[in-house]
Amino acid sequence: MLTQCLGIPHISTGDMLRDLIRHGAELKPCVAAKMHSGGLVSDEVVNLMVKERLSEPDAGKGFVLDGYPRTLTQSEHLCGWLDEQGIREVVIHLAVDYNIIIARLTGRRECPRCGTLYNVSFHPPKVDDVCDLDGEQLVIRDDDRESVIRERLDAYDRQTRPVLEFYQTAGRRVIQVDASNDPPDLVFHKIKLALQ
Ligand SMILES: [Zn+2]
């Protein structure tokens, strides 16, 4: 919604890494070489990949970064680079209460036959645990089990919350948007108001 409204590209490091694995070395030789030598996708690789992407012409008017920066090292690198380029960023922090995240995700049910997603609290099937469309028994995906979700929230606390604190203490622009209970279009509206 934001990229459509502003007419700027959406740059997702997750998409870029998947692309890189698919198309291999011919697109980004230096990044691919690092990935092959190290195995793990280090901060250095991601930083380099993003810097190359941000230097492409379509990013000249601005861009929305998604999934980056995710660590302190990445944040420091990005801030340094943006300052060098004279680009001022805005960090948008979508705040959602952990209990609400857990309720949303643990309530998800999927139809193994047609893939339709339900939520026992927010979008329940007509009959408990049965798909409206084909009558198949609904299942909980492994990703949505509470222990897995808690692990992901712990990882967020360890790695990503310090990124937010870094931006706040460095006096960079951080917009807080409460995204706990509102549908996406309303969250988007709040972001737009804050940006204006
Ligand atoms: Zn179904």
Side-chain angles (χ1 to χ4, degrees):
M1 289 179 190
L2 199 52
T3 57
Q4 272 174 13
C5 170
L6 299 174
I8 55 177
H10 169 225
I11 296 176
S12 147
T13 43
D15 289 349
M16 287 164 74
L17 287 168
R18 279 186 287 274
D19 260 13
L20 191 66
I21 289 160
R22 216 173 299 132
H23 301 296
E26 76 254 41
L27 284 178
K28 300 264 184 283
C30 42
V31 174
K34 279 211 166 65
M35 277 180 81
H36 285 301
S37 65
L40 276 177
V41 185
S42 65
D43 282 341
E44 193 189 354
V45 168
V46 181
N47 288 340
L48 183 61
M49 188 177 74
V50 173
K51 198 163 84 175
E52 285 189 355
R53 177 65 187 87
L54 295 184
S55 306
E56 286 173 25
D58 68 328
K61 281 201 318 176
F63 42 83
V64 176
L65 281 173
D66 175 8
Y68 178 91
R70 217 180 259 277
T71 66
L72 268 184
T73 315
Q74 290 176 4
S75 311
E76 285 159 2
H77 172 88
L78 178 67
C79 285
W81 188 78
L82 291 176
D83 289 347
E84 257 173 53
Q85 306 293 313
I87 299 169
R88 292 187 64 208
E89 86 286 342
V90 182
V91 175
I92 301 169
H93 177 222
L94 299 175
V96 182
D97 186 279
Y98 280 10
N99 292 322
I100 292 175
I101 295 179
I102 290 169
R104 270 188 203 161
L105 296 180
T106 54
R108 279 212 292 216
R109 299 290 181 274
E110 185 180 33
C111 172
R113 189 184 296 174
C114 70
T116 302
L117 284 173
Y118 299 88
N119 189 296
V120 293
S121 315
F122 310 109
H123 169 50
K126 292 194 183 90
V127 179
D128 278 0
D129 291 326
V130 174
C131 180
D132 290 349
L133 303 178
D134 51 31
E136 190 77 24
Q137 192 74 22
L138 302 178
V139 297
I140 304 175
R141 301 190 305 190
D142 282 342
D143 276 4
D144 293 340
R145 293 186 191 283
E146 184 160 348
S147 58
V148 176
I149 294 161
R150 287 200 183 273
E151 262 168 45
R152 273 152 57 196
L153 292 174
D154 282 349
Y156 174 84
D157 264 338
R158 279 195 313 274
Q159 295 178 336
T160 310
R161 185 165 295 282
V163 169
L164 180 62
E165 286 158 4
F166 165 81
Y167 277 93
Q168 285 165 331
T169 49
R172 305 192 72 110
R173 289 183 297 175
V174 178
I175 294 174
Q176 299 265 10
V177 174
D178 177 10
S180 284
N181 290 308
D182 296 330
D185 54 335
L186 209 61
V187 173
F188 173 58
H189 183 68
K190 288 186 190 174
I191 294 173
K192 257 198 326 194
L193 281 182
L195 286 175
Q196 280 162 0

